[in-house]
Amino acid sequence: MSRRSLLTIDDIDRAEIARILRVGNRFAEVMQRDIKKVPTLRGRTIINMFFEASTRTSTSFELAGKRLSADVVNVKGSGSSVEKGETLKDTVITLNAYAPDVLVIRHASVGACQMAARFTDAAVINAGDGKHEHPTQGLLDTYTLAEAKGRLDDFNLKGLKVAIVGDIASSRVARSALAAFTTLGAKVVCVGPPGMVPRGFEALGATVGGSLDDVLAEMDAVMMLRIQFERHGDGKTPAPAGAEAPKASPIASVREYREFYALTPERAAKMKKGAIVMHPGPINRGIELDEAVADGPRSVIMRQVTNGVLVRMAVLRWCLGA
Ligand code: ASP
């Protein structure tokens, strides 16, 4: 049986992204049924390894595996031998002895999934490695944008403009979403305070800079990002185990941040007709995104959550060549 890992969006080209999303769209039909289960991965074993906090990604990977009829096992950082000091390498070698077909890994260190892939015969899916990538989030964001804009037939996003707003430097979602959006033809602009928007994103195909108020009216979608205080070190939240040492906060104050970069109802009113609001979650309501916008008519945030299951089902199927 062929096995393929998904470590970064760069592992899949435009045609493969569209193929995975098309399969996701077929699973959308299964999700409408009373019994949301297909036999695609019956007899296969998936181990979900989450060494960093997660609600959406871990739940949707577990549901995705179960709805494909695979045997799914969940290992968390807390409560496992990681707490006793076992390394990621030893954990992977140990779990590999159970002959899993797929390891889904979230870890605080950039490159953890690449490293893990060297010590297992299973396909590895990166479910978020530090500030680096979160490829299945990029795919589900792309699916949700295509769905909202009526592009589920060809997943061609040409002509669409997307703003990614906020703490881009800390965001693995920003990297993966940017790669997926631009590969399918959308134009992306990255907006945020200078300390949060690396110029290097230009080399990745985005336009960098400008203020939210300058670009808002032209955008078809605005993806708001959480300020990842735990990755800056705010003096209160400890950095996750294995994460880079915290640096000084890239913003002077939350109040000042909100003045320029929060999506308030007043700002959302300036968005063009049919433009959507996205957020990978968790939302810090009242910081980057206000209640009325998060739960308002432009918001597709719950579509992102729902679509996470079917896109991850398609990715699991792709990994196992089923
Ligand atoms: N849930 C996303 C992630 O794991 C975004 C976030 O935490 O703000 O990267």
Side-chain angles (χ1 to χ4, degrees), residues 106 134 172-173 226 228 280-282:
R106 166 168 291 189
H134 192 352
R172 52 196 176 205
V173 175
R226 180 176 68 89
Q228 304 208 4

Side-chain angles (χ1 to χ4, degrees), residues 7-8 110-111 114 126 129-134 170-173 175-176:
L7 302 174
T8 121
V110 170
Q114 266 93 343
N126 180 357
D129 62 329
K131 298 180 184 180
H132 178 224
E133 275 229 34
H134 192 352
S170 301
S171 177
R172 52 196 176 205
V173 175
R175 268 175 200 78
S176 293

Side-chain angles (χ1 to χ4, degrees), residues 2 11 15 18 42 57 90 92 95 97 122 130 137-138 141 161 175 205 240 246 258 318 320:
S2 68
D11 288 338
R42 187 163 50 205
T57 308
D90 275 335
V92 169
L95 296 174
Q137 178 77 41
D141 292 337
K161 291 184 185 163
R175 268 175 200 78
R258 274 186 58 76
W318 175 85
L320 296 180

Side-chain angles (χ1 to χ4, degrees), residues 188-199:
V188 177
V189 52
C190 291
V191 177
M196 286 183 168
V197 184
R199 284 234 84 93

